[in-house]
Amino acid sequence: MEIKKKKVAILASGSGSNAENIVNYFRNHEQIEISLFIANKKDAFVHERAKRLNIPCYYFSNKQFRETQEVKDFLVSQQIDFLVLAGFLLKIPENLLKVFPDRIINIHPALLPKYGGKGMYGEHVHQAVVEAGEKESGITIHYVNENYDEGEIIFQAKCKVLSGDTPEQVAEKVHALEYEHFPKIIEKVVLG
């Protein structure tokens, strides 16, 4: 008897490098399938990555996310079990939170609760970490709730921030942690 795979949709707003890393990790997984990508930007590079990876990628506007049931209805029609945010910069609407309770996972490029919230993403986070003179940074993988970066923390990993580090150097260290840990934590959470 064939095991029914858990179906994961990845939401991305940018280049999709984390999305690609996740796809490669689960490429021949027996229990988990990366079914599709959803992007909220028409010109996001994640569309190109999706073509190359042979993963369907769908575009929904911010308005469709915020003001309609289209995204929710689409995900339900595709029998998606989990949502993974990989550089997705839009607040998740309540209709998705209701349909996927404790089944939406995000990664944040800092050690929450520090450096989270609206506007704190990508280089903005690394800049703030360096300006504050932090000795460490890292990643936080967490469940998504109605507030930016406030869902229950699932996992954190740390890296050192050296006194001369630029925001770009901190970003490199943080990306390495993302690539190493995010797929493994997704696997743990999805398989329960």
Side-chain angles (χ1 to χ4, degrees), residues 5 10 32 54 86 109 121 172 175:
K5 288 188 178 190
I10 297 179
I32 297 170
N54 218 7
Y121 60 90
E172 274 180 38
H175 284 309

Side-chain angles (χ1 to χ4, degrees), residues 134-137 158-162 165 169-170 173:
E134 293 286 353
K135 298 280 181 266
E136 62 182 15
S137 189
K158 296 175 181 176
C159 60
K160 295 235 177 301
V161 178
L162 305 174
D165 278 356
Q169 287 168 312
V170 174
K173 295 176 190 183

Side-chain angles (χ1 to χ4, degrees), residues 20-169:
E20 179 168 356
N21 185 49
I22 293 164
V23 167
N24 290 334
Y25 182 88
F26 289 106
R27 179 66 74 197
N28 297 307
H29 201 282
E30 289 178 3
Q31 295 170 278
I32 297 170
E33 163 191 299
I34 305 303
S35 300
L36 57 95
F37 292 171
I38 289 183
N40 65 326
K41 294 192 169 144
K42 273 190 180 142
D43 57 352
F45 190 72
V46 70
H47 294 286
E48 295 307 311
R49 276 188 210 271
K51 274 187 203 129
R52 204 173 63 231
L53 294 164
N54 218 7
I55 300 274
C57 188
Y58 300 90
Y59 164 75
F60 288 93
S61 70
N62 289 351
K63 187 179 168 96
Q64 285 171 296
F65 267 96
R66 286 193 188 112
E67 298 173 23
T68 75
Q69 303 292 318
E70 291 173 54
V71 179
K72 172 191 66 89
D73 293 344
F74 173 72
L75 290 166
V76 169
S77 77
Q78 298 297 307
Q79 299 175 315
I80 297 299
D81 297 296
F82 274 82
L83 304 182
V84 170
L85 312 189
F88 187 70
L89 303 180
L90 189 67
K91 197 170 180 186
I92 297 299
E94 200 173 304
N95 64 9
L96 288 181
L97 293 171
K98 278 193 176 129
V99 175
F100 297 96
D102 295 329
R103 290 187 291 137
I104 307 174
I105 310 164
N106 187 29
I107 190 164
H108 186 75
L111 299 170
L112 292 175
K114 286 182 171 183
Y115 307 107
K118 189 167 173 54
M120 288 307 272
Y121 60 90
E123 66 273 9
H124 302 288
V125 174
H126 308 306
Q127 184 77 44
V129 165
V130 168
E131 284 173 6
E134 293 286 353
K135 298 280 181 266
E136 62 182 15
S137 189
I139 58 167
T140 304
I141 298 168
H142 64 93
Y143 289 108
V144 174
N145 68 10
E146 62 283 352
N147 299 313
Y148 281 112
D149 302 325
E150 290 181 19
E152 182 192 338
I153 292 173
I154 301 165
F155 175 85
Q156 289 186 311
K158 296 175 181 176
C159 60
K160 295 235 177 301
V161 178
L162 305 174
S163 61
D165 278 356
T166 64
E168 293 74 24
Q169 287 168 312

